Amino acid sequence: MPRKNPEPATGESAPLTVRDTAKQNLKFQNLSDNLRRGILAGTWAVGTKLPTEQQLSLDTGLSLTTVRRAFEDLVDKGLVVRRQGAGSFVAPQRSQKRSRFVIGVLLPDTQLYYPQVLQGIEEHLSARGASLQLSTYHYDFTRENASIGFLLEAGVDGLILVPTLTGLDNPQQRVAELMALPVPVVLLERSLDDLGPGDRTEHVCSDHQGGAYDAVMHLHRLGHRKIGLLTRANEAARSSNPTQAAVMAGYASAVEVLGLDTDGHHDMAFSATKPEWEADQAEHMFQLLAASGATAALVFGDREAALLEGAAARHGIRVPEELALVSYDDEMADLAQIPLTAVSPAKHRLGVMAADVLLRRLTEGDACPLHQIRLRPRIVVRDSCGAKKVSPLQRVVGPVLHPLRAK
């Protein structure tokens, strides 16, 4: 994608140059796309006469030349036939070798969290005769626009985007730029929560706040009254991980609702970068948790929770008898030495629903209601939280627990 301006510094919003190109060159294409969607959605049935070029010119404010080019485009695609002296009519649908829609998908990467999401997108599109064009930007904000430009130049009909929204000076402006792209856009795992009803984006997201909230409630039902939170911060900026921010907010809400004992501290939340977690095998994080007197912890994510299990074992602390753990993500939680109870976002379902929302938008156009979907993660109970060893009576009154201390 050509660049008219120098690369922006990380954390600043970059203008999307593709929008300028769309304004200059794609007026007839925009009209053609709108008519095509109406035809595919059944607004005009097969054999129905379409509005005349003159009428469309008056209705849209576009020139006759632009309207004529749009009709020619529809004729070339086999959607419209012209009859001399009679007008333009919706053509009988013919079988096409090409998929009905090509959907562009932008992901930060294809590691860990996103393979299941991508699988859900691919399966749903394939089942409905659509195809997928993938691009990644590897969490490099300066590469996002180039990746989006690549997808648009490939001729996609719509976009499913997982863009950078945290760490920007003006995330609302960034979202406005994305919504102004010349094809429909569905955001995946990204939204502007602060806007409330002012958010007009179409999005499908995990309710990570709800997932963390439920994890604390789960540990509380097992009798724990001092519950810590250990998180993995981004190396560049501790506040730039949107999932971590939501997990912290959900934890804080549960602590407040339950009135949990925090020993006078604002909370019992501790954070370190991934290299810091690995450098001493979670030793420092274990010491912080032990000093807080916690008997349980929610850990973001699975690898960090497994490292914490190792640190606890080195100090003679038994999981789950003396330290109950719930990890967040459920990517490799079942592979830990003591299989981890985990908050499990519905990754595959997220992909399916994002693809479905976009296809509905493409086929129904403005007649389709705005979809803003949140899926609450579930808790998969394994061995690390102690729920399998707790009797029904203990679930009601709670077991006798002792504060965690390093031995």
Side-chain angles (χ1 to χ4, degrees):
M1 185 171 68
R3 300 184 182 277
K4 297 184 178 180
N5 300 305
E7 289 286 2
T10 300
E12 296 179 359
S13 178
L16 285 173
T17 58
V18 293
R19 187 58 180 168
D20 297 333
T21 303
K23 285 182 178 178
Q24 294 170 8
N25 302 325
L26 301 182
K27 287 183 179 180
F28 85 91
Q29 234 173 7
N30 289 337
L31 177 58
S32 174
D33 287 344
N34 287 335
L35 292 171
R36 175 176 60 85
R37 290 169 193 152
I39 291 170
L40 295 175
T43 303
W44 296 286
V46 172
T48 301
K49 183 178 180 180
L50 294 169
T52 65
E53 293 175 2
Q54 291 79 7
Q55 185 61 51
L56 276 175
S57 178
L58 288 173
D59 291 344
T60 63
L62 299 173
S63 69
L64 276 172
T65 300
T66 299
V67 174
R68 190 166 294 117
R69 288 186 68 190
F71 271 104
E72 290 170 354
D73 186 51
L74 293 171
V75 170
D76 291 342
K77 292 175 178 175
L79 294 171
V80 170
V81 293
R82 280 179 161 165
R83 297 173 187 166
Q84 187 67 32
S88 298
F89 297 81
V90 177
Q93 296 299 299
R94 63 190 184 191
S95 60
Q96 298 179 0
K97 293 182 180 179
R98 179 186 180 275
S99 299
R100 176 181 289 185
F101 293 120
V102 178
I103 304 303
V105 178
L106 177 74
L107 300 178
D109 64 31
T110 55
Q111 304 298 313
L112 292 178
Y113 193 92
Y114 289 103
Q116 292 184 55
V117 176
L118 186 59
Q119 182 183 13
I121 295 173
E122 288 180 314
E123 289 179 1
H124 191 77
L125 292 179
S126 177
R128 282 150 183 79
S131 60
L132 178 150
Q133 179 73 55
L134 176 66
S135 185
T136 59
Y137 62 95
H138 302 288
Y139 293 96
D140 183 351
F141 179 69
T142 61
R143 297 177 58 178
E144 263 188 47
N145 283 353
S147 296
I148 294 172
F150 163 77
L151 293 172
L152 292 172
E153 289 167 7
V156 299
D157 298 290
L159 289 166
I160 297 174
L161 304 179
V162 186
T164 301
L165 293 184
T166 54
L168 301 180
D169 292 335
N170 193 340
Q172 292 184 30
Q173 178 185 336
R174 179 60 175 170
V175 167
E177 291 171 353
L178 296 175
M179 293 299 105
L181 289 168
V183 297
V185 170
V186 172
L187 299 183
L188 177 63
E189 287 289 43
R190 301 288 187 267
S191 65
L192 294 173
D193 297 331
D194 294 342
L195 286 185
D199 182 3
R200 297 288 301 171
T201 64
E202 199 141 39
H203 58 255
V204 180
C205 300
S206 294
D207 182 3
H208 293 302
Q209 286 195 36
Y213 182 96
D214 289 344
V216 176
M217 291 294 180
H218 172 73
L219 291 168
H220 183 265
R221 284 193 295 273
L222 294 174
H224 298 280
R225 299 300 178 263
K226 289 191 175 183
I227 302 170
L229 172 67
L230 305 180
T231 61
R232 176 194 66 238
N234 183 282
E235 289 90 326
R238 292 176 183 266
S239 61
S240 65
N241 187 311
T243 302
Q244 175 180 293
V247 168
M248 293 177 69
Y251 167 83
S253 294
V255 167
E256 182 178 359
V257 167
L258 295 171
L260 295 185
D261 183 4
T262 57
D263 272 347
H265 300 295
H266 177 66
D267 57 33
M268 297 171 68
F270 310 104
S271 183
T273 65
K274 185 176 179 180
E276 289 170 342
W277 270 96
E278 295 177 350
D280 64 358
Q281 296 295 294
E283 182 68 27
H284 178 62
M285 299 301 282
F286 174 80
Q287 293 290 352
L288 291 174
L289 190 65
S292 73
T295 61
L298 170 62
V299 186
F300 176 56
D302 300 338
R303 180 178 177 81
E304 287 68 26
L307 288 171
L308 191 67
E309 279 188 357
R314 290 192 296 274
H315 286 272
I317 298 298
R318 297 171 299 155
V319 173
E321 290 83 359
E322 296 173 279
L323 175 62
L325 297 177
V326 175
S327 70
Y328 201 101
D329 261 0
D330 201 24
E331 286 292 337
M332 53 184 72
D334 58 328
L335 301 179
Q337 184 171 0
I338 300 172
L340 290 158
T341 293
V343 179
S344 183
K347 306 176 191 74
H348 184 274
R349 184 68 62 86
L350 281 164
V352 169
M353 298 191 77
D356 186 66
V357 168
L358 185 52
L359 290 178
R360 288 177 184 274
R361 176 63 55 199
L362 287 168
T363 56
E364 300 175 23
D366 292 339
C368 182
L370 194 69
H371 288 76
Q372 297 182 331
I373 299 172
R374 294 204 172 267
L375 302 181
R376 198 171 183 114
R378 65 191 181 99
I379 296 177
V380 178
V381 175
R382 298 190 180 94
D383 298 331
S384 67
C385 68
K388 292 183 177 180
K389 300 180 179 181
V390 173
S391 69
L393 178 60
Q394 285 177 314
R395 290 191 187 103
V396 176
V397 301
V400 177
L401 298 167
H402 302 284
L404 170 63
R405 300 295 180 194
K407 295 181 180 179

